[in-house]
């Protein structure tokens, strides 16, 4: 992944060096969360999953009116994103969380970007941009299947689980509002807030088998109860709210 970013960086710098100061290059990163993380309801959703996004992007934009107060640009770039989730392993009788299976999806995104900027306070500016991005799945399938039962002695429970995550390519849309603050000649700090509309990025299967040992209050004898729970083809579909921070330089 690092080699791809380095190669793209040299290509972008080589192009913009001969095109004048209409070009800017951005190196940007940040974090994103699913709006479901902000849900305040108190009841527990049995197959609830949450996500956070860690993107690293290298962007190049072409400005049509660099000397004007209001400017417009087109751009593209390359973005690596790691999107993390968890699926809860539940106690089937009492419905509380025992353990979480954590998994992630990795995508390499290529965006098409259009936007505008309004210069304020000398060289600082406020901008708005829209992106249409194609996201390539970097790993198609992940299988998690421990061989042995796991024990929780405090509740006399043994359980096992199996999990399969499938990742696919998809197209996302993103709206961003950003502030660009000058640090030095042609060098700026950029901060942004984004909302990304994401269709399904894949699906997963999950199964848990559980054995609980109980004691009869009257006789004192112990006995076992068994239960299973199965999820199949659960679609992973989360819009994301993102905060990003980066550096941008004009050439």
């Amino acid at each position: 992944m690092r080699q791809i970013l380095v190669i793209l960086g040299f290509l972008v710098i080589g192009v913009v060096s001969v095109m004048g100061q209409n070009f800017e290059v951005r190196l940007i990163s940040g974090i994103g969360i699913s709006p479901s993380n902000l849900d305040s309801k108190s009841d527990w959703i049995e197959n609830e999953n949450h996500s956070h996004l860690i993107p690293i992007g290298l962007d190049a934009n072409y400005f049509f009116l660099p000397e004007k107060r209001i400017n417009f640009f087109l751009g593209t770039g390359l973005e690596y994103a790691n999107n993390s989730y968890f699926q809860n392993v539940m106690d089937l009788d009492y419905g509380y969380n025992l353990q979480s299976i954590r998994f992630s999806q990795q995508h390499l995104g290529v965006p098409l970007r259009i936007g505008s900027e309004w210069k304020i306070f000398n060289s600082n500016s406020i901008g708005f941009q829209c992106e249409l991005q194609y996201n390539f799945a970097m790993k198609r399938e992940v299988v998690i299947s421990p061989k042995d039962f796991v024990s929780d002695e405090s509740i006399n429970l043994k359980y096992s689980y199996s999990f399969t995550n499938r990742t696919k390519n998809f197209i996302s849309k993103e709206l961003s509002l950003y502030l660009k603050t000058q640090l030095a000649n042609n060098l700026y700090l950029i901060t942004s807030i984004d909302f990304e509309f994401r269709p399904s990025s894949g699906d997963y299967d999950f199964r848990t088998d559980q054995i609980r040992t109980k004691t009869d209050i009257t006789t004192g004898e112990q006995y076992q109860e068994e239960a299973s729970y199965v999820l199949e083809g659960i679609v992973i579909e989360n819009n994301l709210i993102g905060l990003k921070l980066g550096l941008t330089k004009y050439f």
Side-chain angles (χ1 to χ4, degrees):
M1 181 60 211
R2 184 180 299 175
Q3 293 177 339
I4 294 175
L5 289 176
V6 170
I7 293 172
L8 181 64
F10 279 118
L11 289 175
V12 170
I13 292 172
V15 171
V16 301
S17 63
V18 298
M19 294 299 292
Q21 294 187 359
N22 291 56
F23 267 94
E24 72 164 355
V25 174
R26 299 176 182 175
L27 180 62
I28 196 163
S29 186
I31 187 168
I33 62 172
S34 167
S36 66
N37 287 357
L38 308 177
D39 196 333
S40 61
K41 60 181 177 293
S42 59
D43 57 319
W44 187 263
I45 298 177
E46 193 166 5
N47 63 342
E48 184 175 2
N49 61 65
H50 298 264
S51 61
H52 67 271
L53 179 73
I54 303 177
I56 301 174
L58 184 63
D59 300 332
N61 298 317
Y62 179 83
F63 287 82
F64 294 95
L65 304 168
E67 303 301 324
K68 301 295 184 180
R69 189 173 182 84
I70 297 179
N71 203 352
F72 301 91
F73 62 88
L74 291 174
T76 186
L78 192 66
E79 180 184 86
Y80 166 77
N82 180 64
N83 200 6
S84 298
Y85 304 87
F86 68 79
Q87 166 63 48
N88 293 302
V89 178
M90 303 295 297
D91 170 28
L92 298 180
D93 287 336
Y94 297 106
Y96 64 88
N97 185 32
L98 293 174
Q99 180 176 328
S100 296
I101 302 172
R102 298 185 178 272
F103 64 101
S104 63
Q105 296 179 327
Q106 292 82 38
H107 286 90
L108 192 64
V110 179
L112 177 63
R113 182 182 308 108
I114 183 172
S116 63
E117 282 189 4
W118 177 39
K119 292 182 180 179
I120 57 172
F121 307 118
N122 297 323
S123 297
N124 302 326
S125 59
I126 294 175
F128 175 78
Q129 66 184 35
C130 303
E131 286 186 354
L132 184 68
Q133 178 167 289
Y134 192 86
N135 299 276
F136 297 90
M138 300 185 68
K139 184 179 291 187
R140 292 289 184 174
E141 185 173 275
V142 174
V143 179
I144 303 173
S145 184
K147 295 181 180 180
D148 301 321
F149 274 83
V150 181
S151 297
D152 188 332
E153 301 298 340
S154 63
I155 54 176
N156 297 318
L157 178 70
K158 293 174 62 180
Y159 63 93
S160 65
Y161 56 84
S162 61
F163 177 87
T164 301
N165 167 45
R166 291 171 289 271
T167 305
K168 67 179 184 179
N169 303 335
F170 68 94
I171 297 175
S172 62
K173 301 174 185 177
E174 184 177 276
L175 302 177
S176 303
L177 181 66
Y178 64 85
L179 174 65
K180 193 180 289 183
T181 307
Q182 187 172 26
L183 299 176
N185 186 32
N186 291 331
L187 182 65
Y188 294 80
L189 174 71
I190 185 170
T191 55
S192 71
I193 182 169
D194 319 304
F195 192 87
E196 184 179 358
F197 301 90
R198 295 165 60 94
S200 171
S201 59
D203 60 62
Y204 67 90
D205 301 332
F206 169 76
R207 177 186 178 94
T208 179
D209 297 294
Q210 302 182 357
I211 303 173
R212 176 182 291 279
T213 302
K214 293 186 174 182
T215 302
D216 189 292
I217 299 177
T218 305
T219 63
E221 294 182 356
Q222 291 188 331
Y223 63 97
Q224 290 185 334
E225 292 183 348
E226 298 183 9
S228 298
Y229 184 67
V230 180
L231 296 170
E232 292 184 336
I234 302 300
V235 175
I236 300 171
E237 186 175 8
N238 296 92
N239 295 328
L240 292 169
I241 300 171
L243 296 174
K244 294 180 182 178
L245 181 69
L247 293 174
T248 178
K249 182 172 177 58
Y250 288 93
F251 291 86

